[in-house]
Amino acid sequence: MRKRIVAGNWKMNLDHREGARLAGEILGGLKNRVPQCEVVVMPPFTSLHAVGEALRGSSVSLGAQDLWHEESGAFTGEVSAGMISAAGCRYVLVGHSERRHILGEGRDLLSKKLRAALKGGLSPIYCVGELIEEREAGRAEETVSRQVEEVLGGLDAVGMSKVAIAYEPVWAIGTGKTATTGDASGMHGVIRDLLSKLFGRGTAGETPILYGGSVKPDNARALLSADDIDGALVGGASLASDSFLGIVFPT
Ligand code: 13P
């Protein structure tokens, strides 16, 4: 059975004290309850150590929001896969829409980052998603398929077995608008069919595909029970334990 993941992307929020406190609250909410998914939190780099300490010995995994693809050297301000892994992370985001559209990251850089993450022993969560203009022009599937193929194409089965994908329509991020369950599920099916073509049915069937974009406790159940949706990548609602736990345990 393929893995299910609910990951909280804290973005540029919470310092290390606030982060450690939130991690403690999340652990409190998980006491005596077994989630149907792996729970992951992705704080800013400066909070990884403190949050990792707060989570030590628990079932909650740590992830980073970005990495640089070189192993070390003169890359001021950047952080390598090895450093992220040594800080206790299992996961790292690659290709989040804010990095694509605010920081201008594209295919070549994202391919290098994704491969560096794998080489450094991390599991990348590779983010894809169309702009509103692309959706309105009927090009959503084409855009997402291109994003998947241009970065993941060429990976071998071992590499691909470590990758999760997050479909995050850009127009749904931080806007309160969510893709309908049908639209999200449909796009996840398109992605899975493409993975099947690229890597074979076995690998495609094992790859978790998460949905992201205004996931909240009140829409989590419908989204997370839809076909081909294997979890959620949560922004705003991951910043408070009540709302995050309401997605981990959707009602
Ligand atoms: P929101 O949940 O705030 O829409 O953010 C989604 C996201 O970008 C997660 O990576």
Side-chain angles (χ1 to χ4, degrees):
M1 225 179 56
R2 66 181 168 258
K3 195 195 277 196
R4 297 182 66 82
I5 300 169
V6 171
N9 173 10
W10 294 359
K11 307 192 180 183
M12 197 174 74
N13 293 293
L14 307 180
D15 69 21
H16 69 282
R17 290 163 295 227
E18 296 163 329
R21 195 176 319 132
L22 175 55
E25 289 169 12
I26 292 169
L27 290 187
L30 288 169
K31 230 181 224 147
N32 304 323
R33 301 173 84 184
V34 181
Q36 308 278 313
C37 58
E38 181 172 357
V39 179
V40 183
V41 294
M42 312 186 104
F45 289 136
T46 49
S47 301
L48 286 176
H49 181 72
V51 173
E53 285 298 309
L55 296 176
R56 187 184 284 277
S58 79
S59 62
V60 177
S61 301
L62 194 62
Q65 299 172 19
D66 184 37
L67 78 162
W68 190 244
H69 56 276
E70 302 283 352
E71 286 177 15
S72 63
F75 302 101
T76 301
E78 296 297 342
V79 176
S80 70
M83 292 169 181
I84 289 168
S85 176
C89 289
R90 174 175 299 174
Y91 291 95
V92 64
L93 296 179
V94 174
H96 191 278
S97 80
E98 285 142 24
R99 299 209 63 90
R100 288 180 191 266
H101 299 294
I102 301 174
L103 294 144
E105 296 190 359
R107 179 190 63 196
D108 294 347
L109 182 59
L110 297 179
S111 296
K112 288 181 190 162
K113 287 188 173 194
L114 191 118
R115 283 156 180 78
L118 290 172
K119 191 166 172 221
L122 296 166
S123 286
I125 300 179
Y126 176 58
C127 306
V128 296
E130 80 284 358
L131 297 165
I132 189 66
E133 297 84 348
E134 291 164 328
R135 173 153 288 262
E136 284 172 351
R139 297 199 344 257
E141 292 185 4
E142 173 195 325
T143 302
V144 167
S145 299
R146 175 179 45 73
Q147 292 170 335
V148 169
E149 189 161 7
E150 70 190 8
V151 168
L152 300 182
L155 286 183
D156 61 19
V158 177
M160 209 37 222
S161 70
K162 306 253 166 47
V163 174
I165 294 175
Y167 169 56
E168 299 201 300
V170 179
W171 47 270
I173 294 178
T175 58
K177 292 184 195 149
T178 337
T180 63
T181 303
D183 281 351
S185 177
M187 186 65 88
H188 285 221
V190 167
I191 295 170
R192 201 170 313 279
D193 287 347
L194 176 59
L195 294 178
S196 221
K197 268 192 225 133
L198 294 172
F199 304 106
R201 285 177 67 84
T203 300
E206 288 299 311
T207 306
I209 307 178
L210 319 183
Y211 172 79
S214 299
V215 179
K216 309 281 180 223
D218 60 5
N219 58 26
R221 192 184 173 84
L223 284 163
L224 293 174
S225 53
D227 279 351
D228 279 315
I229 300 186
D230 307 314
L233 182 56
V234 187
S238 72
L239 297 174
S241 56
D242 285 357
S243 46
F244 188 55
L245 290 163
I247 296 167
V248 170
F249 299 103
T251 49

